[in-house]
Amino acid sequence: MTMRARRPQRRNQVLSREQILHVAVELLDAGGEGALTVRALSERLTTGSGAIAYHVGKRDDLLDAATETVVTAALTAARPSAAATPSDEIRAVALALFDAITAHRWLATRLTLQIVRNPVGPVTVGVFERIGRQVDALGVPRERWFDAASTLVHYILGAVSQNARIEGDTSGIDPKADRGEFFAATSTAWRELDPEEYPFMHAIVGQATEHDDREQFLTGIAVILDGLTRLR
């Protein structure tokens, strides 16, 4: 009797765009952009590539949609109370993006690419709208709105990217290196510098070792907000 090869089972329930993007984000979180392939996604969802293309599109579309999903969820959750000030709202948005990238290390690269390459996309528009309205509420002159909002967005992207693994980074820094060990080694090297030639570096050795990334990030936001109030 001839045995027929068993075909992989297909899911009976209707596949949704939300299900596809949920699994896509899981794959990205587990292995970065390299782990998100149409084949891997098809196997996880027990479906064909055609169904994925129908709901989302090609791989680049998947990456953009996954980015939009994570960013939109983060911004939606960052809703200060009715009594919040414009500065509170800006800090809430900034921390939402900071925490999202901390939780999803692949997001730093994709978020930056979205804002640079797709200025009319929902991610770019969503981030700028949330921050821009508060720039207006802070009393920044209308002719300075774009510069003010851009300064905040650029700082947020730069700061969070520095604390995340950037896809394609060739710096030689191990993305999985222990943070404490890294700063301990850095501090040791700074202490070996000539204190007369580098007095500032010696003065901040202890601060660099003990600093909190999130608090440091908020300090930068505070400095920018203070500067924006002076534009009035």
Side-chain angles (χ1 to χ4, degrees):
M1 181 173 63
T2 303
M3 299 292 291
R4 293 183 178 180
R6 295 182 63 184
R7 296 180 180 179
Q9 294 181 341
R10 301 292 183 187
R11 60 167 62 237
N12 294 323
Q13 66 268 35
V14 177
L15 189 65
S16 69
R17 176 183 172 86
E18 289 71 23
Q19 288 173 311
I20 294 172
L21 293 177
H22 177 76
V23 174
V25 170
E26 287 184 342
L27 290 172
L28 287 165
D29 288 345
E33 288 192 25
L36 180 60
T37 65
V38 174
R39 181 175 181 178
L41 197 55
S42 299
E43 291 177 353
R44 283 283 299 273
L45 292 166
T46 60
T47 190
S49 59
I52 294 173
Y54 174 78
H55 285 288
V56 184
K58 298 180 180 178
R59 184 174 181 274
D60 285 342
D61 299 318
L62 274 169
L63 287 166
D64 288 344
T67 301
E68 180 184 346
T69 296
V70 174
V71 172
T72 299
L75 294 181
T76 299
R79 295 290 182 184
S81 66
T85 66
S87 296
D88 291 335
E89 166 72 354
I90 289 174
R91 279 191 288 268
V93 171
L95 279 178
L97 295 175
F98 182 94
D99 291 340
I101 289 177
T102 299
H104 309 278
R105 308 301 278 186
W106 53 272
L107 186 61
T109 302
R110 300 312 308 183
L111 177 56
T112 301
L113 289 175
Q114 282 263 5
I115 290 178
V116 171
R117 296 179 180 177
N118 193 7
V120 298
V123 170
T124 305
V125 172
V127 171
F128 267 89
E129 184 66 24
R130 285 286 295 275
I131 289 178
R133 290 186 184 184
Q134 306 313 314
V135 165
D136 177 18
L138 285 171
V140 175
R142 189 182 186 93
E143 64 271 16
R144 306 295 294 275
W145 283 2
F146 176 72
D147 290 343
S150 295
T151 297
L152 280 162
V153 171
H154 292 162
Y155 168 75
I156 292 169
L157 291 178
V160 296
S161 295
Q162 183 179 346
N163 291 311
R165 177 176 184 267
I166 304 301
E167 294 290 339
D169 179 21
T170 57
S171 65
I173 298 174
D174 183 1
K176 297 181 180 179
D178 179 82
R179 180 181 183 279
E181 292 178 358
F182 172 79
F183 279 109
T186 299
S187 297
T188 298
W190 285 356
R191 287 191 176 94
E192 293 175 354
L193 295 172
D194 184 342
E196 293 187 2
E197 188 173 359
Y198 299 99
F200 176 78
M201 302 305 294
H202 275 266
I204 65 171
V205 166
Q207 297 172 18
T209 305
E210 300 171 1
H211 85 279
D212 179 270
D213 291 337
R214 210 164 182 265
E215 290 301 318
Q216 183 186 62
F217 175 71
L218 283 176
T219 297
I221 294 293
V223 169
I224 295 174
L225 290 176
D226 180 64
L228 293 183
T229 60
R230 300 173 188 274
L231 294 176
R232 292 181 293 191

